[in-house]
Amino acid sequence: MTSMAGIRTISAATSSQVAKGTRKTSQIPVRISIKRRSDAFAKATVEADGGLNGSSSNDNASALEMKRTLKESKPEISSKDSSTLPRPLTASDLSNSANRSRLRVAYQGLPGAYSESAAAKAYPNCEAVPCELFETAFDAVDRWVVDRAVLPIENSLGGSIHRNYDLLLRYSLHIVGEVKYAVRHCLLANRGVKIEDLKRVLSHPQALAQCEHTLTKLGVVREAVDDTAGAAKFVATNQLQDAGAVASSLAAELYGLNILARDIQDDSDNVTRFLMLAREPIIPGIDRPFKTSIVFSLEEGPGVLFKALAVFAMRDISLTKIESRPQKKRPTLISDDGCSGTPKYFDYLFYVDFEASMASQNAQNALRHLEEFAKFLRVLGSYPMDVSQA
């Protein structure tokens, strides 16, 4: 790879110079809580997954592993006893350790979540590890509890998942790949329950919103819960006869539910893009299409953003995503040394994805140029583009 010695903050090789931040981990319940919300269409994080074929990792034979605590659910679920399914990883599990050799990949949600399917697509032979929160998944990679994480970053209908953008700045992890996953919602219910028996339907707020037309035709009450797989588990565990769930076909299989209807989403073009995260960056190449993700901040002034984006235009580099986030009244925890985070104030943070590899001299020159007037600049990752069908 061509030398980047002239760039202080953007080299893919300088993995230690990333924003990690100071984290205070609160005590999290052992099981995911299915909390009902009155507003089914409240703004919420998209739950969905996708992936690319990735190679296995030999990061460290003595890496940490979570302690498994399997608890039985009553009544029993007809397809698989819930005690045989992985329990979501919590913050309290991260201090436990054991030797392991199999590649472990964290995702957010319960078994049967779309994110689990995305993790399996990204790393087909992996052990998928469920986590209660996005932050728990980041923490699990950071502490060597797992090897990778596969987490959603944007959905074609719901937009960006801003929480994960914030966590990318707080942790010293690197984007090593992306994967696109087509979300196909199913209407699930217990065996013997017919579609006309349904009085209410439970799911994640985004899933309910994405199936609004179908659910309106059925005349059911929509009840929002924490995630799609959690909705399926709740309906199955409580043997509800008047309620269904919007979730994946995998959730139906895991929790012993019937699929009353498939592909009930209003828009068939419902695709979620996931990022594959690791502790170390990959070495970028030029043998296939690459994408690079960066975040930067600028001084206030007329035409400053235009000048920032012009560094790519003048070099014929295509941008695939541009997003800004106001930060005027709250500090962002960013670390310059990868060890300790201090609050820093930026008027706006700009996230940009562009189609070029950091191994390209053209991309290196563009970022050198951008660094001349950027207050802050960081490469989040340079990685192969997912050019497959979702």
Side-chain angles (χ1 to χ4, degrees), residues 94-130:
L94 299 180
S95 60
N96 299 306
S97 63
N99 290 330
R100 58 177 171 80
S101 57
R102 189 180 174 191
L103 186 74
R104 309 186 75 215
V105 179
Y107 68 92
Q108 188 276 327
L110 286 173
Y114 291 107
S115 294
E116 182 182 17
S117 299
K121 183 180 179 183
Y123 300 101
N125 299 316
C126 74
E127 177 187 354
V129 179

Side-chain angles (χ1 to χ4, degrees), residues 218-235:
L218 293 177
V220 296
V221 175
R222 283 153 279 188
E223 297 184 18
V225 297
D226 287 342
D227 59 74
T228 57
K233 181 178 180 180
F234 184 81
V235 169

Side-chain angles (χ1 to χ4, degrees), residues 14-79:
T14 57
S15 60
S16 63
Q17 296 187 354
V18 283
K20 187 171 183 179
T22 305
R23 302 179 297 280
K24 293 184 179 179
T25 306
S26 58
Q27 199 67 18
I28 301 173
V30 170
R31 305 176 79 89
I32 275 189
S33 173
I34 305 299
K35 299 178 183 176
R36 302 188 184 186
R37 304 172 188 167
S38 58
D39 183 4
F41 306 105
K43 183 178 180 182
T45 301
V46 176
E47 178 207 351
D49 296 21
L52 291 172
N53 291 334
S55 58
S56 63
S57 169
N58 295 319
D59 280 333
N60 196 319
S62 62
L64 302 178
E65 181 182 27
M66 75 170 186
K67 176 181 177 183
R68 293 173 180 257
T69 305
L70 300 177
K71 294 189 176 181
E72 297 182 356
S73 297
K74 295 182 180 181
E76 291 185 351
I77 297 172
S78 55
S79 175

Side-chain angles (χ1 to χ4, degrees), residues 204-256:
H204 186 278
Q206 285 282 357
L208 293 173
Q210 291 167 6
C211 303
E212 182 177 3
H213 181 67
T214 300
L215 298 179
T216 300
K217 284 175 58 178
L218 293 177
V220 296
V221 175
R222 283 153 279 188
E223 297 184 18
V225 297
D226 287 342
D227 59 74
T228 57
K233 181 178 180 180
F234 184 81
V235 169
T237 302
N238 293 280
Q239 291 293 299
L240 301 180
Q241 300 301 303
D242 66 341
V246 174
S248 66
S249 57
L250 176 60
E253 178 184 345
L254 291 178
Y255 300 113

Side-chain angles (χ1 to χ4, degrees), residues 46-351:
V46 176
E47 178 207 351
D49 296 21
L52 291 172
N53 291 334
S55 58
S56 63
S57 169
N58 295 319
D59 280 333
N60 196 319
S62 62
L64 302 178
E65 181 182 27
M66 75 170 186
K67 176 181 177 183
R68 293 173 180 257
T69 305
L70 300 177
K71 294 189 176 181
E72 297 182 356
S73 297
K74 295 182 180 181
E76 291 185 351
I77 297 172
S78 55
S79 175
K80 290 187 179 182
D81 191 325
S82 63
S83 66
T84 67
L85 299 175
R87 176 180 58 83
L89 191 68
T90 67
S92 60
D93 293 317
L94 299 180
S95 60
N96 299 306
S97 63
N99 290 330
R100 58 177 171 80
S101 57
R102 189 180 174 191
L103 186 74
R104 309 186 75 215
V105 179
Y107 68 92
Q108 188 276 327
L110 286 173
Y114 291 107
S115 294
E116 182 182 17
S117 299
K121 183 180 179 183
Y123 300 101
N125 299 316
C126 74
E127 177 187 354
V129 179
C131 297
E132 283 190 320
L133 305 170
F134 290 131
E135 185 166 5
T136 311
F138 272 84
D139 232 16
V141 180
D142 192 48
R143 299 192 189 186
W144 294 73
V145 177
V146 298
D147 304 293
R148 302 284 189 275
V150 174
L151 298 171
I153 197 65
E154 62 179 337
N155 176 263
S156 58
L157 303 180
S160 298
I161 296 89
H162 293 127
R163 179 58 180 160
N164 284 338
Y165 276 113
D166 294 339
L167 292 171
L168 283 170
L169 282 179
R170 287 183 56 190
Y171 286 81
S172 58
L173 303 184
H174 303 266
I175 305 173
V176 296
E178 67 172 358
V179 63
K180 297 173 184 175
Y181 187 82
V183 178
R184 303 179 62 182
H185 292 306
C186 299
L187 181 60
L188 314 180
N190 283 299
R191 292 172 183 173
V193 176
K194 298 179 181 179
I195 198 167
E196 54 266 25
D197 298 329
L198 299 180
K199 301 293 187 296
R200 56 199 177 106
V201 170
L202 290 71
S203 194
H204 186 278
Q206 285 282 357
L208 293 173
Q210 291 167 6
C211 303
E212 182 177 3
H213 181 67
T214 300
L215 298 179
T216 300
K217 284 175 58 178
L218 293 177
V220 296
V221 175
R222 283 153 279 188
E223 297 184 18
V225 297
D226 287 342
D227 59 74
T228 57
K233 181 178 180 180
F234 184 81
V235 169
T237 302
N238 293 280
Q239 291 293 299
L240 301 180
Q241 300 301 303
D242 66 341
V246 174
S248 66
S249 57
L250 176 60
E253 178 184 345
L254 291 178
Y255 300 113
L257 298 175
N258 277 348
I259 299 178
L260 300 181
R262 295 179 182 269
D263 294 327
I264 64 170
Q265 62 272 5
D266 298 340
D267 192 332
S268 59
D269 186 22
N270 186 1
V271 177
T272 298
R273 176 176 167 242
F274 291 81
L275 298 180
M276 300 151 65
L277 304 175
R279 286 178 293 276
E280 298 296 332
I282 62 171
I283 299 175
I286 55 174
D287 57 330
R288 51 179 166 166
F290 263 69
K291 181 183 290 185
T292 299
S293 297
I294 64 172
V295 58
F296 60 90
S297 182
L298 301 168
E299 298 282 357
E300 285 192 7
V304 177
L305 180 58
F306 172 79
K307 289 194 294 184
L309 300 181
V311 306
F312 302 101
M314 67 177 58
R315 294 173 176 85
D316 294 323
I317 297 176
S318 297
L319 305 184
T320 59
K321 182 178 179 66
I322 308 171
E323 182 164 340
S324 66
R325 298 202 63 201
Q327 299 285 320
K328 288 188 176 183
K329 293 187 178 180
R330 71 182 173 94
T332 300
L333 280 175
I334 293 180
S335 173
D336 291 327
D337 57 9
C339 298
S340 60
T342 56
K344 295 187 178 181
Y345 290 86
F346 300 106
D347 294 328
Y348 284 89
L349 288 173
F350 298 95
Y351 294 91

